[in-house]
């Protein structure tokens, strides 16, 4: 009867075709749900080298969070010791306190640096109180973020979890980052923002459309500069890289023996035009930078311009008296002259010390690693070697261009942190055993443990041990 009805209506063929398709769909779904091996399956297209992605984004996010939490916890241990100002905290904490006053008093304290880092310290004081924890807590946050950023840079460069984690561990084993992340100074804030921006740039470097990642990098670089003007150095590196590649593409440059691993390709960043570069590396950094001044100056253009003039004048003057721990930029990679942040005698033979020195088992081997990185950039034209070299030498050698004569080894912090990527790059070279990288991570950790008593005031150290750790006369 049902069939006769449809035969009269002329729909029997359509119904049977529809039912047949529905049966086929049910069979296909049941096969897929059982994972039937006999069912032909479409294989994913092979990923091109320039689009090689970070392995398993969700897994990477979990690891990044774990690194952040562990690093943050480690940096918090004993951070309230001493409960008095350490080194340049005497400048930055009073400036942060001034920002919390209902009416801003005059003259403004510490006008020679942009306000963002001091605003973050002020916010911490408002939450935790005007005490050692309130002064130093945000530094521990940004120290942990800097280690996470090195992990993200490692993912971009090596496309593997193991080397990226090793790079983060080596960076964390460098006393420079540890010491600076436990003191209320500006450098760790500029480092955290700058390394996160560098990671975004590295992740976008090999993409066909890097627009979003480059824009993120530009905004973060603006935040780094709003903490301290040295945050502009890695932004300058990015601008030089983008301009160089744009010029070479404009000249239709090609390598005779082009390889997928080349740092330059004629088809790199299809659709990324001059206006996009200006937006990412000029407009967005300027907007995020100037936004940090709004809470202090409002939208007053004359006040904003005067603030920039004052910062420029104070940071480029040569009329600055010498300092006991001052050093010049060529000596920083050699750890020739450390800075004693704290030296307190707690008993007849015990001292509490914070020495900004660095881990010799990281800093000195990194120089050999960087020589090999330079060799691979020049000879093999490798893009990963190119980026490591650029973000090491750029922020370091930029200090050679400044007329200011007063310098300290902690200005070397961004380059020293990036050097961990060079060490991983060399230790995972083809032909080397995989265990060698992790053996070196253990050596770096051992060096960190040996230097820890003069890096953290809460531990304390005997005079005999302290003198033993001072390997050179220039360290005293």
């Amino acid at each position: 009867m049902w069939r006769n009805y449809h035969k009269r209506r002329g729909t029997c063929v359509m119904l049977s075709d529809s039912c047949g398709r529905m049966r086929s769909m049910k069979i296909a779904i049941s096969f897929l749900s059982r994972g039937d091996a006999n069912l032909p399956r479409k294989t994913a297209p092979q990923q091109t080298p320039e689009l090689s992605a970070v392995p398993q984004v969700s897994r990477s996010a979990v690891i990044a969070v774990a690194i952040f939490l562990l690093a943050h916890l480690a940096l918090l241990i004993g951070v309230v010791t001493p409960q008095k100002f350490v080194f340049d905290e005497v400048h930055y904490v009073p400036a942060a306190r001034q920002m919390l006053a209902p009416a801003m008093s005059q003259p403004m304290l510490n006008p020679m640096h942009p306000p963002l880092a001091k605003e973050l310290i002020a916010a911490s004081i408002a939450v935790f109180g005007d005490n050692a924890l309130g002064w130093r807590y945000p530094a521990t946050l940004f120290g942990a973020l800097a280690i996470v950023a090195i992990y993200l840079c490692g993912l971009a460069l090596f496309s593997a979890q193991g080397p990226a984690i090793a790079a983060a561990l080596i960076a964390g084993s460098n006393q420079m980052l540890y010491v600076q992340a436990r003191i209320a100074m500006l450098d760790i804030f500029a480092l955290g923002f700058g390394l996160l921006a560098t990671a975004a740039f590295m992740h976008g470097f090999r993409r066909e459309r890097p627009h979003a990642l480059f824009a993120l990098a530009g905004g973060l670089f603006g935040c780094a500069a709003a903490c301290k003007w040295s945050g502009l150095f890695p932004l300058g590196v990015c601008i030089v890289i983008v301009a160089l590649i744009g010029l070479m593409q404009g000249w239709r440059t090609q390598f005779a023996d082009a390889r997928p691993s080349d740092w330059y390709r004629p088809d790199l960043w299809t659709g990324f035009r001059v206006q996009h570069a200006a937006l990412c590396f000029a407009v967005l950094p300027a907007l995020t930078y100037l936004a940090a001044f709004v809470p202090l100056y409002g939208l007053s253009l004359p006040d904003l311009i005067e603030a920039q003039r004052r910062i420029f004048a104070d940071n480029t003057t040569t009329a600055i008296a010498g300092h006991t721990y001052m050093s010049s930029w060529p000596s920083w990679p050699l750890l020739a002259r450390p800075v004693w942040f704290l030296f307190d005698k707690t008993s007849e033979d015990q001292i509490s010390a914070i020495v900004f020195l660095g881990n010799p088992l990281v800093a000195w081997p990194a120089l050999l690693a960087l020589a090999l990185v330079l060799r691979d950039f020049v000879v093999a034209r490798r893009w990963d070697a190119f980026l490591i070299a650029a973000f090491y030498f750029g922020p370091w050698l930029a200090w050679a261009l400044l007329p200011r004569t007063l310098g300290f080894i902690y200005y070397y912090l961004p380059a020293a942190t990036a050097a961990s990527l060079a060490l991983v790059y060399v230790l995972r070279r083809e032909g080397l055993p995989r265990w060698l990288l992790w053996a070196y991570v253990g050596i770096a950790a051992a060096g960190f443990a040996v230097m820890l008593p003069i890096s953290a005031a809460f531990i304390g150290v005997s005079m005999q041990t302290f003198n033993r750790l001072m390997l050179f006369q220039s360290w005293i």
Side-chain angles (χ1 to χ4, degrees):
M1 183 176 177
W2 176 265
R3 185 174 182 85
N4 290 336
Y5 170 79
H6 285 287
K7 188 178 291 185
R8 288 194 304 270
R9 303 283 296 180
T11 60
C12 186
V13 175
M14 294 176 61
L15 183 63
S16 61
D17 287 347
S18 177
C19 291
R21 284 195 298 270
M22 290 178 66
R23 283 194 298 270
S24 300
M25 289 175 63
K26 289 179 180 178
I27 293 171
I29 292 171
S30 65
F31 280 3
L32 288 173
S33 63
R34 294 198 310 265
D36 197 315
N38 297 322
L39 188 67
R41 299 180 184 178
K42 184 185 288 185
T43 58
Q46 189 173 4
Q47 215 169 20
T48 57
E50 63 271 21
L51 296 179
S52 59
V54 174
Q56 298 183 19
V57 173
S58 59
R59 184 183 175 198
S60 300
V62 170
I63 293 174
V65 171
I67 291 173
F68 172 80
L69 293 176
L70 291 173
H72 186 41
L73 177 62
L75 292 171
L76 275 174
I77 297 173
V79 74
V80 297
T81 303
Q83 304 223 359
K84 64 176 184 178
F85 289 156
V86 174
F87 199 62
D88 277 356
E89 287 182 341
V90 69
H91 301 299
Y92 305 129
V93 173
R97 287 171 174 166
Q98 187 184 45
M99 294 177 178
L100 293 174
M104 191 79 168
S105 59
Q106 295 297 330
M108 180 180 290
L109 301 178
N110 193 244
M112 69 178 298
H113 292 297
L116 180 56
K118 290 170 283 188
E119 289 169 347
L120 293 171
I121 295 172
S124 178
I125 291 174
V127 173
F128 297 108
D130 191 358
N131 51 47
L133 179 62
W135 309 335
R136 298 170 191 150
Y137 180 77
T140 65
L141 279 177
F142 278 81
L145 285 174
I147 295 174
V148 171
I150 287 293
Y151 164 73
L152 297 176
C153 290
L155 285 180
L157 293 168
F158 311 126
S159 295
Q161 295 287 357
I165 295 171
L169 291 173
I170 294 170
S173 298
N174 188 348
Q175 254 75 14
M176 288 188 178
L177 194 153
Y178 178 81
V179 170
Q180 204 66 49
R182 293 163 50 83
I183 185 171
M185 290 172 60
L186 312 182
D187 302 78
I188 196 64
F189 297 94
L191 179 72
F193 281 124
L195 285 179
L196 287 172
T198 300
F201 183 84
M202 287 183 174
H203 277 273
F205 185 80
R206 301 282 284 180
R207 291 180 183 267
E208 184 178 351
R209 292 187 57 81
H211 302 60
L213 285 168
F214 282 3
L216 175 61
L220 289 169
F221 279 132
C223 293
C227 296
K228 196 171 184 179
W229 268 17
S230 56
L232 290 170
F233 295 160
L235 173 60
V237 171
C238 293
I239 292 173
V240 170
I241 290 173
V242 171
L244 177 61
I245 289 176
L247 284 174
M248 293 177 70
Q249 289 175 334
W251 296 334
R252 305 187 188 282
T253 305
Q254 293 188 12
F255 293 135
D257 56 339
R259 290 171 286 217
S261 61
D262 284 340
W263 64 270
Y264 163 78
R265 298 197 319 272
D267 60 343
L268 196 63
W269 308 334
T270 303
F272 191 74
R273 307 300 182 196
V274 173
Q275 61 268 28
H276 301 135
L279 176 64
C280 293
F281 300 112
V283 177
L284 287 176
L287 289 176
T288 54
Y289 171 80
L290 292 174
F293 289 82
V294 172
L296 299 180
Y297 301 100
L299 298 177
S300 171
L301 186 59
D303 288 344
L304 289 174
I305 293 174
E306 174 59 23
Q308 310 317 307
R309 187 205 64 77
R310 178 67 186 272
I311 295 171
F312 179 82
D314 287 346
N315 281 277
T316 56
T317 182
T318 58
I320 299 179
H323 193 284
T324 304
Y325 301 117
M326 68 182 292
S327 56
S328 58
W329 64 268
S331 69
W332 298 338
L334 303 175
L335 308 182
R337 185 59 173 157
V339 178
W340 290 27
F341 284 172
L342 178 74
F343 187 88
D344 280 349
K345 209 165 185 182
T346 56
S347 67
E348 186 63 30
D349 188 49
Q350 288 289 119
I351 62 168
S352 179
I354 303 176
V355 181
F356 187 94
L357 175 61
N359 185 345
L361 297 182
V362 173
W364 293 336
L367 301 180
L368 299 176
L370 285 158
L372 291 174
V373 166
L374 275 178
R375 181 261 175 202
D376 280 2
F377 161 52
V378 174
V379 176
R381 304 194 305 262
R382 290 186 59 91
W383 70 274
D384 44 4
F386 167 65
L387 290 180
I388 293 171
F391 286 102
Y392 171 82
F393 288 101
W396 171 42
L397 296 180
W399 290 101
L401 304 177
L402 297 183
R404 180 176 173 173
T405 56
L406 185 65
F408 300 95
I409 190 174
Y410 55 81
Y411 294 173
Y412 181 63
L413 176 62
T417 308
S420 62
L421 298 168
L423 287 161
V424 174
Y425 174 88
V426 169
L427 291 171
R428 68 186 297 270
R429 291 169 74 90
E430 188 175 351
L432 294 178
R434 294 181 62 183
W435 57 263
L436 186 61
L437 172 60
W438 296 104
Y440 176 75
V441 171
I443 292 171
F448 176 86
V450 170
M451 303 294 289
L452 187 59
I454 63 170
S455 304
F458 75 95
I459 295 178
V461 63
S462 68
M463 280 299 301
Q464 182 180 8
T465 302
F466 182 85
N467 291 329
R468 193 180 299 126
L469 291 174
M470 296 293 101
L471 300 178
F472 306 102
Q473 185 64 31
S474 65
W475 286 10
I476 299 176

